[in-house]
Every structure is written in structure tokens, then in C-alpha cells.
């Protein structure tokens, strides 16, 4: 089970770092967020600046602390910090809510695929969903992270190429920034917008501050610990976080440059399209304009990769919580005391992956059939009212030591109050809170809830106080070599991913058979060389690792 849900704690830091990048993006990055760059310029970068900042925090100390909990799942961490009741609550809420999010991601990708290929959306949902479920079931966390790595190569290579081609199309950075002062774009492309310029105060100073804090807050809570539980030790966790930060910073610069170029060069054409929300197509529109023949298919593959990587990570994490945290308690309730065998646990993991995967596909199908999108609206309601308050106690609980075990539920209750009030206000008056107002009040009420709980820590049992002290001591204790499970798998990971990357690079050379001018041929050679080049570096590193292992065994 450890292998299946966290790679046996032996995943290489570079593999984990690339997976962090891929799990953090989806097709929405190139549609919804790209539309924000198209309409409002660079302000959307604040979200990704916050992601980078959060990863740097994880690199400095937080990622190592999470790995040093020695946990299998985030619910394990919650149990160690609070109690079994909190562990069960977080595990069950994750199982109930996460498939909705994954279903929406699958549905959104299938809408994109359906319109691109002219295939009924139902077929896209079942085929794409089945592919993700297949490799997630057969290989568990190893398959998820290996697939994420190869997908990241395709995504980065094609998006770098699109950014470079857009750079040449607009005539360089001086020409690009020159558009910012044009009367047509000056107001929209100010980094800080006036509060009344956009609906709900979007892109204003208050929005920027709250979104920046809220994004960091989501990235550093106990719920995000899963990304660091897979690596060898605290040092590897820090390295993976730093790599994630570097890749996210590079990605932010190359992903949102093209939509802004699209606004300057093709804004009227894009908005004149006879489709709903044409601004969402800004990235794909400019990509079609600049990419040589045949490479739009690679761009579509990158869109698939971005979404599938988010879906498979969430699927594997929920399977871990189900098998590790929920099933044992259910067995206890029915008086089953005999522990499951490792083989039985693995079988249950695979069955659970298929079951949750089918649930995600079903939700996605229902979204596609419900023209009024009632389920989608229900998910947004659940997300805004429950999900944000859910993770606040996890954040505070990791930083504030003197909290009783039941404080999680009190803080959660306090955080719910602004969300419930905002929802009630919207239903009765038609005017609810904006995202930034709701988040601000959730933070304020959550802090009040924590302050209410803190004095009660003195009245908790000595056993609980010792448990808390042991927890904080454990997370600061580096993992010893003799704690690792089995033998090192560094060599195997380097060889497997190296060969796969070289194979992908060589396969991309088939695009040379598509008629193109010299620029098109060079573009194909670039994306092929990027993937194959990374593969060669990994194979070289594998040889170095092999020599180290041989010297160590002598």
C-alpha cells in the first residue's frame, strides 16, 4: 500500500518536483486564466507568484517537516496533530468533495476535446476518464508521477515554443510593452485596477492582496502534505519544492505572454468569434496563428496532459485516504480485528481506484447532460462554503501548538459563519460577498475561533500534551537511512524515465513528415530535442548512480 499511495517514500526529488508543477495546472490555465491575461493583462500573475512563494516556503522548511511526519496520507498527519475524529472527518470530506472537482476537470477537458475533434462529448469523457483510471489503477503513485513527468516535458516544450514564436510575432519585448501605454489597452493592462473597473472588485488592490494570501494559504496547509510524503527524506522534499517553484516561475512567464500578445494583435478577431466566452480561446487562437503545420496537435496533447495530471493526483490521494484511514475504522466497527495482508491492501487500492474513477466519470457525464448545470452550481456552493473553511484549521494547527484536539471543529465552525451568511445574503437579497470579502472574513473568524480555543489547552490531558510535543519533535527530526523502505530506486527511476523521454522525443520527429518551411522544421527539432535531451541527461545520471551503488556495495 505504501508503494501504491506514496511510492514507498522512494520517489526521486526531480520526479516529485515535476509532478508538483503538473498537479497545479489544468486546461483551465490555458482557458480561464489565459482569458484573464487577455482581458486584464499581467494581474493574473499574482496567483502564480503566490504559488512560487508557497513552494519557496515549502523548500525552506515546510516540505521537510511534512515528510518528517513519516505519514502515508494527509489524513495521517491530521490524526497525529489532532485526533482520530479529525482524521476521519477530513478523510470523509475529501472522499465526498474531491470527485466533484475531478469530474469538473474531466468535463471541461472533454468539452475542449469534443469541440476540437468533432467527437460527441460523452465519448471524450469515457475515453479520457478510462485512460486516467487505467494507468492510475495499474501503477498507483508510481504511474501517476511517471506520467506527470513525461507530460511536463511535452507541456513545457510546446508552451516555450509558442512563447518564443509570439515574441517574434510581436517584434520583441520593447514592442510588447509599448502596447501597454496605448489608449486602447492602458486601463485594462494596469497591474492594479480601480475597484469599480471590474465586476466584484476583481483585479483591485484588495483582490490582489487577498488572492495572494489565499493562494499561499491553500498551498501550505496540511492538505498539501501529500506531494512531499512520497520522497526519500526532508532534503529531497525541499529540493522537490524548489524545483516546483522554478518550473512554476518559468511556466508563469511563458503561459501568459501569448494571451496578451493575442489581445494586442488579434483582439477584435477573437472577440468576433461566434462562440460563448470567446476570450477563453485566446491562447489556442494565438497558438494556431503562430505554430507551424502539425504542431497544434502537440498543443492539444499538452492541454490533455495538464488536466489529466491534476485528475490522477487527486484520484490517487483519495484512494490512499480511503484504504489507509477509512476502511480500517469501518472494519473495527464491524468487529473485524484481523489486519489485512499487504496483498489484500493492494487489491483494495486497485478496486478503490476503479470505484472512485467511475464515480468521477459519472459526475462528469452528469455535468455534460445537465444543461442548467445545477450540479456545477452545487459544487461551486460546496467549494466556497465548505472547502476554504475546511483547510483553515489545518493551517493553524500546524503553526500553533497550544490548541486542544477538538479545536479543529471549533475553527471550522467559525470559518463557516461568513460563508453561510454570504450564501444566505445572496439568496435573500441577490447581493452576496465577493471572493475577496468572503475570504477576508473567513480568515478573521478563523483567527477568532483559534483565539477562543487556545486558553483551553491548559485543561487538556497530559497524554494529549505529550502527543503534541512528540508531534512537533518528530517533524523536526531528520529521517535516518535505516527508516527507508527497501532498497534505493533512484537508478530504476532514472533509467525508466530517461528511456521514456528519449522515446517521446524520437516519436515527435515523425512530425518532420508534415510539410513545413525551415521555421517549422526547426520547431519540430526543438520540441523533439527538448524531450530527448532531458532523457539523455537522465540516462547519464543513471550511469553515475549505478557507479555509486556499485561502489557502495563493495
Amino acid at each position: 500500500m505504501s508503494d501504491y499511495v506514496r511510492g514507498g517514500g522512494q520517489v526521486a526529488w526531480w520526479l516529485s518536483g515535476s509532478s508538483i508543477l503538473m498537479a497545479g495546472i489544468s486546461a483551465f490555465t490555458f482557458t480561464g486564466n489565459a482569458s484573464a491575461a487577455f482581458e486584464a493583462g499581467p494581474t493574473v500573475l499574482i496567483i502564480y507568484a503566490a504559488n512560487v512563494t508557497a513552494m519557496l516556503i515549502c523548500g525552506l522548511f515546510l516540505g521537510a517537516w511534512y515528510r518528517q511526519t513519516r505519514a502515508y496520507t494527509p489524513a495521517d498527519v491530521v490524526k497525529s496533530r489532532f485526533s482520530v475524529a479529525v482524521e476521519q472527518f477530513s478523510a470523509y470530506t475529501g472522499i465526498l468533495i474531491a470527485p466533484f472537482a475531478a469530474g469538473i476537470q474531466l468535463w471541461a477537458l472533454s468539452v475542449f476535446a469534443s469541440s476540437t475533434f468533432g467527437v460527441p462529448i460523452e465519448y471524450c469523457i469515457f475515453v479520457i476518464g478510462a485512460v486516467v483510471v487505467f494507468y492510475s489503477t495499474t501503477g498507483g503513485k508510481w504511474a501517476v508521477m511517471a506520467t506527470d513527468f513525461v507530460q511536463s516535458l511535452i507541456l513545457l516544450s510546446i508552451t516555450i515554443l509558442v512563447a518564443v514564436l509570439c515574441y517574434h510575432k510581436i517584434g520583441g519585448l520593447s514592442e510588447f510593452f509599448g502596447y501597454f501605454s496605448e489608449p486602447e489597452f492602458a486601463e485594462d493592462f494596469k497591474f492594479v485596477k480601480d475597484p469599480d473597473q471590474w465586476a466584484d472588485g476583481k483585479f483591485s488592490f484588495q483582490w490582489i492582496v487577498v488572492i495572494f494570501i489565499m493562494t499561499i494559504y491553500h498551498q501550505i496547509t496540511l492538505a498539501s502534505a501529500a506531494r512531499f510524503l512520497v520522497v526519500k527524506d526532508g532534503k529531497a522534499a525541499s529540493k522537490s519544492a524548489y524545483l516546483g517553484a522554478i518550473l512554476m516561475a518559468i511556466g508563469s512567464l511563458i503561459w501568459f505572454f501569448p494571451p496578451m500578445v493575442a489581445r494586442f494583435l488579434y483582439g477584435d478577431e477573437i472577440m468576433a468569434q461566434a462562440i460563448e466566452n470567446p476570450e477563453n480561446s485566446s491562447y489556442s487562437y494565438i497558438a494556431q496563428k503562430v505554430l507551424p503545420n502539425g504542431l497544434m496537435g502537440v498543443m492539444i496533447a499538452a492541454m490533455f496532459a495538464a488536466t489529466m495530471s491534476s485528475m490522477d493526483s487527486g484520484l490517487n490521494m483519495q484512494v490512499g485516504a480511503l484504504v489507509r484511514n477509512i476502511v480500517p475504522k469501518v472494519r473495527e466497527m464491524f468487529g473485524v480485528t484481523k489486519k489485512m495482508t499487504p496483498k489484500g491492501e493492494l487489491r483494495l487500492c486497485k478496486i478503490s481506484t476503479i470505484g472512485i474513477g467511475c464515480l468521477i466519470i459519472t459526475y462528469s457525464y452528469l455535468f455534460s447532460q445537465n444543461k442548467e448545470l445545477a450540479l456545477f452550481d452545487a459544487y461551486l456552493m460546496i467549494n466556497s462554503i465548505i472547502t476554504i473553511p475546511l483547510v483553515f484549521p489545518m493551517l493553524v494547527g500546524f503553526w500553533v501548538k497550544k490548541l486542544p484536539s477538538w479545536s479543529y471543529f471549533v475553527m471550522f465552525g467559525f470559518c463557516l459563519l461568513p460563508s453561510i451568511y454570504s450564501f444566505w445574503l445572496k439568496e435573500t437579497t441577490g447581493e452576496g460577498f465577493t471572493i475577496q470579502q468572503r475570504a477576508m472574513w473567513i480568515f478573521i473568524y478563523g483567527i477568532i475561533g483559534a483565539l477562543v480555543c487556545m486558553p483551553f489547552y491548559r485543561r487538556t490531558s497530559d497524554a494529549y500534551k505529550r502527543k503534541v510535543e512528540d508531534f512537533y519533535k518528530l517533524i523536526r527530526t531528520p529521517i535516518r537511512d535505516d527508516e527507508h523502505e527497501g532498497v534505493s530506486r533512484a537508478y530504476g527511476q532514472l533509467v525508466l524515465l530517461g528511456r521514456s523521454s528519449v522515446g517521446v522525443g524520437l516519436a515527435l520527429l515523425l512530425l518532420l513528415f508534415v510539410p513545413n518551411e525551415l521555421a517549422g522544421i526547426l520547431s519540430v527539432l526543438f520540441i523533439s530535442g527538448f524531450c530527448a535531451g532531458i532523457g539523455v541527461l537522465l540516462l547519464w545520471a543513471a550511469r553515475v548512480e549505478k557507479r555509486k551503488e556499485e561502489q557502495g556495495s563493495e
Side-chain angles (χ1 to χ4, degrees):
M1 181 172 66
S2 174
D3 257 0
Y4 198 88
V5 303
R6 63 170 194 144
Q10 292 278 2
V11 175
W13 64 268
W14 49 268
L15 186 53
S16 173
S18 63
S19 188
I20 287 173
L21 171 76
M22 294 304 293
I25 59 176
S26 68
F28 186 77
T29 305
F30 301 97
T31 52
N33 285 347
S35 74
F38 175 84
E39 293 182 302
T43 312
V44 71
L45 290 174
I46 199 66
I47 298 171
Y48 295 86
N51 282 326
V52 172
T53 303
M55 286 299 99
L56 291 176
I57 293 171
C58 291
L60 288 171
F61 54 89
L62 200 55
W65 288 358
Y66 283 148
R67 178 60 185 94
Q68 287 161 192
T69 60
R70 281 80 167 169
Y72 281 30
T73 67
D76 285 345
V77 184
V78 174
K79 176 183 176 182
S80 299
R81 174 58 186 91
F82 290 105
S83 65
V84 173
V86 178
E87 170 212 22
Q88 294 296 296
F89 181 75
S90 65
Y92 275 102
T93 51
I95 291 290
L96 291 172
I97 295 174
F100 276 99
I104 287 174
Q105 289 178 334
L106 176 58
W107 170 66
L109 178 60
S110 299
V111 169
F112 174 81
S114 175
S115 61
T116 302
F117 299 122
V119 177
I121 189 172
E122 295 83 3
Y123 293 172
C124 295
I125 288 172
F126 288 116
V127 171
I128 297 170
V131 169
V132 175
V133 172
F134 173 76
Y135 71 73
S136 297
T137 301
T138 54
K141 193 67 174 178
W142 288 109
V144 167
M145 303 195 82
T147 308
D148 285 353
F149 179 80
V150 177
Q151 289 171 332
S152 71
L153 297 183
I154 296 171
L155 177 77
L156 287 173
S157 63
I158 192 66
T159 52
I160 289 172
L161 178 62
V162 170
V164 170
L165 294 175
C166 286
Y167 173 85
H168 286 290
K169 189 76 174 178
I170 202 167
L173 290 179
S174 59
E175 289 290 327
F176 172 74
F177 285 113
Y179 280 98
F180 280 58
S181 56
E182 293 282 335
E184 183 182 353
F185 310 112
E187 283 299 308
D188 287 347
F189 276 66
K190 288 190 305 184
F191 191 81
V192 180
K193 314 296 191 287
D194 297 329
D196 57 351
Q197 187 174 344
W198 294 81
D200 297 328
K202 229 172 27 168
F203 310 123
S204 64
F205 180 75
Q206 184 189 29
W207 183 90
I208 290 170
V209 171
V210 172
I211 292 297
F212 185 81
I213 294 172
M214 193 166 71
T215 303
I216 293 177
Y217 151 80
H218 274 294
Q219 294 290 343
I220 64 174
T221 64
L222 290 176
S224 66
R227 65 187 69 175
F228 302 111
L229 301 180
V230 300
V231 294
K232 180 180 177 181
D233 52 29
K235 290 182 180 179
S238 294
K239 286 182 181 180
S240 68
Y242 286 134
L243 178 60
I246 293 169
L247 293 177
M248 185 65 75
I250 294 171
S252 303
L253 296 176
I254 63 175
W255 297 332
F256 299 107
F257 179 66
M260 289 187 274
V261 173
R263 171 71 182 275
F264 299 146
L265 301 183
Y266 305 107
D268 292 338
E269 293 178 31
I270 290 171
M271 296 309 295
Q273 295 176 101
I275 59 174
E276 190 176 353
N277 301 320
E279 64 277 5
N280 286 340
S281 69
S282 59
Y283 192 97
S284 60
Y285 191 93
I286 189 74
Q288 291 180 63
K289 287 287 186 181
V290 300
L291 282 175
N293 296 335
L295 289 187
M296 194 60 198
V298 182
M299 185 71 247
I300 294 169
M303 297 276 193
F304 274 65
T307 303
M308 291 166 73
S309 60
S310 301
M311 181 181 164
D312 61 23
S313 297
L315 175 59
N316 184 264
M317 187 168 67
Q318 297 311 317
V319 168
L322 178 65
V323 177
R324 169 80 173 175
N325 304 104
I326 294 177
V327 170
K329 287 297 174 186
V330 173
R331 283 164 57 87
E332 284 182 20
M333 288 171 54
F334 286 94
V336 181
T337 56
K338 185 180 179 181
K339 296 185 79 172
M340 292 182 68
T341 64
K343 191 174 182 179
E345 288 179 333
L346 183 59
R347 187 182 299 114
L348 181 58
C349 283
K350 293 185 176 183
I351 293 171
S352 301
T353 303
I354 295 172
I356 296 176
C358 290
L359 184 63
I360 291 170
I361 293 171
T362 301
Y363 282 149
S364 188
Y365 175 76
L366 292 174
F367 292 145
S368 70
Q369 298 302 303
N370 192 324
K371 304 304 180 185
E372 297 179 359
L373 294 180
L375 281 173
F376 183 64
D377 294 339
Y379 166 74
L380 292 178
M381 180 187 72
I382 291 170
N383 188 55
S384 63
I385 292 180
I386 296 178
T387 305
I388 297 176
L390 268 176
V391 295
F392 184 88
M394 295 184 183
L395 177 67
V396 175
F398 206 76
W399 297 93
V400 180
K401 182 185 292 186
K402 296 184 177 181
L403 287 170
S405 61
W406 45 261
S407 62
Y408 177 99
F409 298 106
V410 174
M411 287 186 284
F412 173 59
F414 269 82
C415 289
L416 276 180
L417 294 176
S419 295
I420 294 172
Y421 178 71
S422 173
F423 178 70
W424 174 81
L425 199 64
K426 182 75 174 178
E427 291 295 308
T428 54
T429 67
E431 295 183 6
F433 289 166
T434 62
I435 292 175
Q436 56 268 31
Q437 287 173 332
R438 185 186 300 117
M440 181 182 68
W441 284 111
I442 286 173
F443 291 144
I444 291 172
Y445 271 73
I447 291 169
I448 293 172
L451 293 174
V452 168
C453 295
M454 287 173 67
F456 290 92
Y457 182 77
R458 293 194 299 270
R459 301 184 183 181
T460 58
S461 67
D462 291 337
Y464 176 74
K465 290 177 182 176
R466 284 195 300 271
K467 174 186 174 181
V468 172
E469 292 295 334
D470 289 343
F471 174 80
Y472 281 96
K473 182 180 178 181
L474 182 68
I475 65 175
R476 288 169 172 82
T477 303
I479 294 173
R480 304 184 309 273
D481 289 339
D482 60 0
E483 292 184 64
H484 296 137
E485 301 172 14
V487 297
S488 172
R489 300 174 188 178
Y491 173 75
Q493 293 172 69
L494 288 165
V495 170
L496 175 65
L497 271 301
R499 290 174 178 171
S500 299
S501 302
V502 170
V504 169
L506 293 176
L508 286 166
L509 287 176
L510 292 172
L511 291 169
L512 290 174
F513 288 101
V514 178
N516 261 313
E517 297 179 356
L518 178 61
I521 294 171
L522 293 176
S523 296
V524 172
L525 291 175
F526 168 75
I527 61 170
S528 172
F530 184 93
C531 297
I534 296 294
V536 170
L537 288 175
L538 293 179
L539 292 174
W540 172 79
R543 292 182 63 184
V544 174
E545 185 66 29
K546 184 72 170 178
R547 284 198 297 269
K548 285 168 57 179
E549 291 180 2
E550 289 173 349
Q551 291 170 1
S553 62
E554 292 176 357

